[in-house]
Amino acid sequence: MAAGSIDLEVVQTVEGIREAVARARGSSAGLRVGFVPTMGALHAGHARLIERCREVADRVVVSIFVNPTQFGPTEDLAKYPRTLDRDLEVAQRAGASVVFTPTDEIIYPRGKAATFVEVPGISHVLEGAVRPTHFRGVATVVLALFEIVRPDLAVFGQKDFQQQLLIRRMVGDLHVPVEIVTEPTVREADGLAMSSRNRYLSPEERAAATVLHRALEAARAAVRGGEREAGRVRQILDRTISLERLASLDYAEVADADSLEPLVSIDASRRAVALVAARVGTTRLIDNALLAE
Ligand code: AMP
């Protein structure tokens, strides 16, 4: 491993990760352990989460687990990219000291339909309306991973805005002693949010995919310019995306950033977020931006 980098421990079992975390925490148990859950295929967005985690914690644990319960029956579970050797390099370079790579059987010892965590309200709108079992899969695996790793804090990306909100709600409601940190979305130079799914885009689709970011920037510009009607901001999102021939819109919403309740007007009393999902070719992309920051 590169000079100056931390040694990386790779473990697969529950006992193994518990021992590694205990060692990472140190004999006085005084060090803070941070956690970054991922599905692998790590890119610069994941690396940023790990770097941020290293800034706010003494040791960083990364998990790489392609969670079957968050994929719907027609989704791309088998096709999901798996690039473990490269992922270990990215994780180590960004500052991880332990990587947890469990199998399905380790995470789900009694099968995939045993116990579920549901977060009503957040689970069934927007992404949850299109992917009805997705968020219970996410909430369940994150709670299981929190119980296995027992971190002091965990870092999630704003890229998956609804997901970080779901985790915050679950942790609050169930008194889970893990601090949640949200890191801003890391983008390509032209604004496209980094995503493991971007690799499926053809060159032409890749160019068209910037439309999500362009739509969000147009919405932000309108709000900065004084627009306060959420309906008109939705129209701007909608219109910008429909002008892109290769894109088809799934949803464009302007919502309360703490509850995801759709807004009628944008004002200083609550934080507003614009969220979009669109298909570019056969690849489904999501993005979001806070309004009036
Ligand atoms: P994934 O493995 O893609 O499911 O994501 C693992 C974590 O990385 C989640 O907290 C995501 O929100 C976060 N993430 C993914 N893409 C980005 C990005 N472009 N910028 C910041 N965080 C991201």
Side-chain angles (χ1 to χ4, degrees), residues 12-65:
Q12 208 174 28
T13 64
V14 172
E15 303 72 44
I17 187 71
R18 289 218 168 116
E19 281 165 25
V21 170
R23 274 196 302 278
R25 207 166 250 131
S27 48
S28 61
L31 299 183
R32 265 161 74 79
V33 172
F35 180 41
V36 181
T38 80
M39 298 210 299
L42 302 187
H43 50 62
H46 302 111
R48 174 80 59 83
L49 263 51
I50 298 168
E51 286 160 10
R52 173 78 188 279
C53 194
R54 185 65 191 85
E55 286 164 20
V56 288
D58 302 294
R59 297 285 183 273
V60 178
V61 177
V62 172
S63 63
I64 297 177
F65 178 59

Side-chain angles (χ1 to χ4, degrees), residues 21-287:
V21 170
R23 274 196 302 278
R25 207 166 250 131
S27 48
S28 61
L31 299 183
R32 265 161 74 79
V33 172
F35 180 41
V36 181
T38 80
M39 298 210 299
L42 302 187
H43 50 62
H46 302 111
R48 174 80 59 83
L49 263 51
I50 298 168
E51 286 160 10
R52 173 78 188 279
C53 194
R54 185 65 191 85
E55 286 164 20
V56 288
D58 302 294
R59 297 285 183 273
V60 178
V61 177
V62 172
S63 63
I64 297 177
F65 178 59
V66 182
N67 174 35
T69 66
Q70 70 190 68
F71 287 80
T74 61
E75 292 174 2
D76 55 356
L77 172 63
K79 235 180 70 185
Y80 200 85
R82 287 160 172 87
T83 58
L84 184 62
D85 290 343
R86 220 192 134 260
D87 290 351
L88 297 181
E89 276 173 38
V90 173
Q92 185 182 33
R93 213 174 312 123
S97 50
V98 183
V99 175
F100 180 42
T101 57
T103 59
D104 289 5
E105 292 69 31
I106 287 172
I107 296 295
Y108 298 111
R110 292 203 315 112
K112 287 171 216 158
T115 299
F116 280 118
V117 182
E118 283 278 7
V119 185
I122 294 184
S123 281
H124 299 295
V125 298
L126 301 170
E127 283 301 286
V130 186
R131 310 174 70 191
T133 57
H134 173 68
F135 284 118
R136 74 174 189 189
V138 171
T140 304
V141 80
V142 170
L143 185 61
L145 288 168
F146 280 2
E147 285 299 325
I148 294 169
V149 175
R150 305 258 167 96
D152 297 289
L153 63 97
V155 185
F156 291 85
Q158 187 191 321
K159 156 83 189 344
D160 298 281
F161 192 88
Q162 192 171 358
Q163 171 173 281
Q164 58 83 39
L165 208 58
L166 172 99
I167 304 300
R168 284 176 182 277
R169 182 72 64 86
M170 173 186 78
V171 158
D173 288 351
L174 299 181
H175 307 274
V176 180
V178 178
E179 180 192 331
I180 304 301
V181 175
T182 302
E183 181 65 14
T185 304
V186 177
R187 298 177 180 281
E188 303 285 358
D190 62 5
L192 176 66
M194 288 192 182
S195 163
S196 315
R197 292 190 166 105
N198 293 349
R199 70 186 69 197
Y200 302 137
L201 299 166
S202 71
E204 211 190 356
E205 290 165 355
R206 169 64 188 79
T210 57
V211 73
L212 281 80
H213 177 64
R214 285 186 272 126
L216 292 166
E217 283 304 302
R220 277 164 61 87
V223 173
R224 270 199 307 271
E227 182 58 74
R228 292 292 172 262
E229 258 187 57
R232 284 225 284 270
V233 178
R234 269 182 215 106
Q235 258 173 21
I236 291 170
L237 294 166
D238 205 317
R239 214 177 306 128
T240 311
I241 294 179
S242 28
L243 284 174
E244 177 55 67
R245 189 177 50 85
L246 294 179
S248 71
L249 182 72
D250 252 1
Y251 61 76
E253 188 55 279
V254 175
D256 181 310
D258 298 306
S259 67
L260 291 185
E261 197 187 311
L263 290 177
V264 175
S265 63
I266 298 164
D267 59 60
S269 69
R270 24 193 208 170
R271 287 190 321 144
V273 61
L275 306 115
V276 291
R279 228 166 273 274
V280 179
T282 54
T283 306
R284 191 165 177 284
L285 302 175
I286 58 171
D287 203 348

